[in-house]
């Protein structure tokens, strides 16, 4: 094989996943677990040398590599779904099937809040199996703990204030509606700049008009 | 090379870190996240055969294996004690398959796996408490069909559990359930706290640490996030009460701790000592001494 042919193969190959599949996935999971166990608090990821194709962020990609596999239909937002580099990257590293509709997704990956369809359209589980629901991985630019909407519920001592940007105008209203479905509903993990935050269905949200 | 690093190096040649393969860990991790999102709800998961028999804590082991990382410090207890069979066996398992640091000090641990006790010392938000659960379904002995108990949880139909507690009162004059005492989690799901003594139930309420429950044979995982409301079921005229002990710990003098009965001789002589071995050791190190001294076998009147 000529070196020119070899380099063209590498040009087509998906960029690498975790450097250390076992321990990187473990540390990302711990951050995600703590994020969902303490809604509205921000959890720093350790430095991951991930170079996913744009517009995927390192933190969102880390979550996908940590949680998705052939058992979990993954819904991609329209921008990501139209991006063959993104699709082949995820397909190569996780073997996750792509969900045809939001309602059959175990995970949903949105590159920004504007690309999310109605949150009520995702799987909310059934009364017997509330775990058969979608977990939304939502990419945001930044998150702030200490100002924003008021969160109360399991995992929160008194209350946590939290905001994330950018979010579509109706996002918090939709998540309020989602929490009224409890114990059904979707859970959201915000993936920011090397940071995670969680918003499980059990969290009550107030102060959304601010 | 430190001892830990050496063990990690050796173990990594023989097992994947923490024994389980990565796909299994992902599956368990997803179940844990769902459990956290719906506190008290039992999430089905595809529990694997583990290299130890059912009943030895295969559920807790799988949960710990999915959560644990190189930086963790693991404490393993069985009925409160760090040095009983189950604790020693499972601690050795994790030392062999992960090489992580282990400890008997409640304070130092980042993950505590427990069989049937909650440490006396209050846990903090940086700790995870993993319970080994034999029968996760609190309604199972009242209704054997899984399809029915699922429906009962879905409809929040817990009358049967109250009838059971009421029958206790009718028969014995008080609620006679002493362990695996059912709790209501965040006003929604009735949950089995695993066979912990009811003495430990109040510690679950608003606990700062994350509590994870794993049932290997029954293939269920459930969770209680930190600062979650956990209420022991009771009646207005028969409120929930914890066990009371008539005497303090015989070797550290602790009052208000959960005590184990220990037979001392063939003539019915016995003593009560702390079930939490680390708590008892800490107190003795701090100079507390019970009425049988630090070594009951040398106490006066013992042959």
């Amino acid at each position: 094989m000529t070196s020119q042919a070899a380099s063209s193969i590498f040009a087509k190959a998906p960029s690498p996943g975790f450097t250390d599949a076992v321990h990187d996935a473990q540390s990302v999971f711990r951050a995600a677990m703590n994020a969902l166990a303490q809604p509205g608090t921000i959890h720093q990821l350790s430095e991951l040398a991930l170079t996913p194709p744009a517009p995927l962020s390192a933190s969102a990609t880390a979550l996908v590599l940590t949680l998705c596999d052939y058992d979990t239909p993954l819904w991609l937002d329209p921008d990501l779904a139209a991006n063959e580099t993104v699709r082949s990257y995820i397909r190569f590293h996780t073997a996750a099937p792509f969900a045809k509709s939001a309602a059959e997704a175990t995970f949903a990956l949105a590159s920004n809040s504007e690309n999310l369809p109605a949150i009520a359209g995702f799987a909310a589980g059934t009364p017997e199996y509330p775990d058969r629901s979608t977990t939304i991985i939502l990419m945001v630019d930044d998150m702030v703990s200490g100002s924003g909407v008021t969160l109360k519920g399991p995992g929160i001592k008194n209350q946590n204030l939290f905001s994330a940007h950018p979010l579509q105008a109706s996002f918090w209203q939709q998540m309020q509606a989602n929490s009224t479905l409890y114990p059904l509903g979707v859970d959201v993990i915000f993936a920011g700049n090397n940071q995670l935050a969680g918003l499980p269905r059990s969290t009550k949200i107030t102060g959304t008009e601010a | 090379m430190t001892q830990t690093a050496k063990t990690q190096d050796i173990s990594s040649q023989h097992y994947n870190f923490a024994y389980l393969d990565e796909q299994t860990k992902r599956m368990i991790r997803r179940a844990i996240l769902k459990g956290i999102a719906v506190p008290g709800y039992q999430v089905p998961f595809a529990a694997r055969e583990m290299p130890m028999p059912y009943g030895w804590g295969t559920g807790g082991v799988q949960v710990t294996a999915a959560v644990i990382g190189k930086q963790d410090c693991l404490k393993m207890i069985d009925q409160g004690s760090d040095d009983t069979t189950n604790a020693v066996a499972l601690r050795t398992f994790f030392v062999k398959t992960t090489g992580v640091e282990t400890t008997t000090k409640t304070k130092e641990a980042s993950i505590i796996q427990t069989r049937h006790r909650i440490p006396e010392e209050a846990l903090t938000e940086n700790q995870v408490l993993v319970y080994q659960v034999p029968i996760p379904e609190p309604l199972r002995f009242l209704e054997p069909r899984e399809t029915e108990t699922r429906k009962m949880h879905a409809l929040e139909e817990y009358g049967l559990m109250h009838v059971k507690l009421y029958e206790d009162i009718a028969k014995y004059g008080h609620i006679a359930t002493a362990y695996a005492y059912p709790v209501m989690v965040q006003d929604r799901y009735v949950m089995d706290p695993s066979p912990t003594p009811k003495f430990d139930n109040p510690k679950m309420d608003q606990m700062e640490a994350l509590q994870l429950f794993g049932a290997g044979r029954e293939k269920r995982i459930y969770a209680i996030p930190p600062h979650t409301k956990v209420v022991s079921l009771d009646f207005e005229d028969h409120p929930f009460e914890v066990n009371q002990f008539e005497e303090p710990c015989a070797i550290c003098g602790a009052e208000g701790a959960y005590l184990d009965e220990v037979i001392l001789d063939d003539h019915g002589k016995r003593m009560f000592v702390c079930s939490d071995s680390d708590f008892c050791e800490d107190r003795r190190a701090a100079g507390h001494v019970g009425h049988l001294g630090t070594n009951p076998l040398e106490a006066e009147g013992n042959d």
Side-chain angles (χ1 to χ4, degrees):
Chain A
M1 191 187 289
T2 64
S3 66
Q4 200 179 5
S7 69
S8 75
I9 287 171
F10 286 125
K12 274 190 220 154
S15 50
F18 286 135
T19 334
D20 181 345
V22 173
H23 297 104
D24 286 353
Q26 188 274 336
S27 74
V28 173
F29 166 71
R30 272 297 264 282
M33 178 180 89
N34 290 333
L36 276 174
Q38 299 159 34
T41 57
I42 293 173
H43 297 262
Q44 200 68 35
L45 293 176
S46 51
E47 285 304 319
L48 301 165
L50 282 175
T51 49
L56 290 182
S57 71
S59 57
T61 307
L63 281 171
V64 169
L65 298 184
T66 301
L67 297 170
C68 297
D69 57 31
Y70 53 76
D71 270 347
T72 58
L74 173 66
W75 180 90
L76 296 178
D77 78 24
D79 282 358
L80 297 175
N83 186 327
E84 189 46 44
T85 322
V86 167
R87 290 171 68 94
S88 71
Y89 180 87
I90 293 173
R91 203 186 292 121
F92 177 78
H93 287 294
T94 70
F98 294 115
K100 288 185 190 69
S101 71
E104 61 187 49
T106 304
F107 287 94
L109 179 58
S111 54
N112 72 61
S113 176
E114 292 298 332
N115 286 355
L116 271 183
I119 287 173
F122 289 102
T126 66
E128 275 88 0
Y129 293 94
D131 55 303
R132 294 180 182 173
S133 57
T134 307
T135 300
I136 300 174
I137 299 168
L138 176 57
M139 284 167 51
V140 292
D141 292 342
D142 72 310
M143 299 184 264
V144 182
S145 185
S147 73
V149 296
T150 306
L151 308 180
K152 291 182 180 178
I156 301 169
K157 193 167 189 181
N158 299 310
Q159 59 177 43
N160 282 344
L161 301 180
F162 177 78
S163 60
H165 308 279
L167 290 179
Q168 55 176 298
S170 67
F171 178 81
W172 290 112
Q173 278 80 3
Q174 290 194 64
M175 287 309 293
Q176 269 178 325
N178 178 62
S179 73
T180 62
L181 301 175
Y182 188 83
L184 308 192
V186 303
D187 309 309
V188 176
I189 305 178
F190 298 96
N193 183 13
N194 227 36
Q195 295 175 325
L196 302 180
L199 185 65
R201 64 192 86 173
S202 57
T203 301
K204 298 284 171 226
I205 305 160
T206 51
T208 52
E209 56 286 338
Chain B
M1 196 182 260
T2 65
Q3 191 55 46
T4 307
K6 222 180 262 170
T7 324
Q8 272 177 352
D9 195 49
I10 296 166
S11 60
S12 65
Q13 296 167 17
H14 300 278
Y15 303 97
N16 188 27
F17 182 80
Y19 185 78
L20 296 174
D21 61 276
E22 290 303 300
Q23 198 278 329
T24 299
K25 285 188 199 168
R26 273 194 297 273
M27 174 271 297
I28 295 171
R29 286 167 179 167
R30 292 192 293 259
I32 291 172
L33 296 187
K34 295 288 188 199
I36 289 170
V38 191
Y41 165 72
Q42 302 161 49
V43 186
F45 82 112
R48 303 296 195 236
E49 291 265 346
M50 296 302 283
M52 63 209 54
Y54 287 131
W56 279 67
T58 53
V61 166
Q62 290 178 79
V63 169
T64 300
V67 170
I68 201 166
K70 279 186 291 193
Q71 311 306 322
D72 278 306
C73 182
L74 180 68
K75 174 179 163 79
M76 189 71 78
I77 53 174
D78 169 9
Q79 303 272 12
S81 171
D82 291 282
D83 43 20
T84 39
T85 314
N86 193 228
V88 172
L90 297 187
R91 185 184 306 112
T92 312
F93 172 78
F94 277 110
V95 167
K96 208 171 187 178
T97 57
T98 67
V100 298
E101 298 273 355
T102 61
T103 182
T104 60
K105 299 273 166 237
T106 303
K107 253 191 239 48
E108 291 171 3
S110 57
I111 299 176
I112 302 173
Q113 185 176 323
T114 175
R115 173 176 174 273
H116 311 352
R117 265 320 301 283
I118 299 174
E120 302 290 353
E121 200 173 326
L123 303 181
T124 66
E125 63 175 14
N126 298 321
Q127 295 180 306
V128 181
L129 183 60
V130 179
Y131 296 73
Q132 301 168 203
V133 182
I135 312 277
E137 177 52 73
L139 304 167
R140 182 60 69 234
F141 291 110
L142 307 172
E143 170 53 66
R145 288 168 295 180
E146 171 70 9
T147 47
E148 291 304 300
T149 52
R150 240 170 218 284
K151 211 165 278 171
M152 289 158 81
H153 283 295
L155 300 172
E156 230 176 317
E157 177 49 71
Y158 296 127
L160 203 53
M161 184 56 91
H162 279 100
V163 170
K164 191 234 170 207
L165 297 176
Y166 169 73
E167 282 180 346
D168 266 12
I169 295 171
K171 256 191 229 164
Y172 308 109
H174 63 280
I175 299 176
T177 306
Y179 65 94
Y181 191 106
V183 293
M184 173 67 87
V185 180
Q186 200 67 26
D187 302 319
R188 179 58 183 83
Y189 282 99
V190 164
M191 190 197 90
D192 185 336
S194 86
T196 48
K198 68 175 178 177
F199 180 89
D200 284 339
N201 276 19
K203 294 181 197 156
M204 306 177 86
D205 182 36
Q206 306 293 337
M207 186 190 277
E208 289 209 3
L210 169 65
Q211 303 173 71
L212 300 175
F213 299 76
R217 179 179 41 211
E218 303 292 322
K219 300 177 170 48
R220 296 291 183 275
I221 284 173
Y222 50 107
I224 304 178
H227 307 297
T228 298
K229 187 174 163 194
V230 180
V231 180
S232 303
L233 298 182
D234 62 358
F235 298 98
E236 276 173 23
D237 52 345
H238 282 88
F240 172 80
E241 282 173 348
V242 297
N243 327 34
Q244 302 289 339
F245 296 92
E246 283 164 12
E247 46 185 290
C249 170
I251 53 178
C252 82
E255 290 178 30
Y258 190 76
L259 305 181
D260 283 338
E261 183 180 356
V262 179
I263 307 292
L264 290 176
D265 60 18
D266 292 342
H267 311 292
K269 201 163 187 304
R270 57 201 189 148
M271 66 168 181
F272 288 88
V273 289
C274 291
S275 114
D276 185 337
S277 56
D278 172 54
F279 177 76
C280 199
E281 270 167 33
D282 264 7
R283 281 183 52 88
R284 277 179 287 158
H288 299 278
V289 181
H291 64 276
L292 289 183
T294 48
N295 185 350
L297 294 177
E298 288 167 4
E300 218 173 309
N302 263 325
D303 312 314

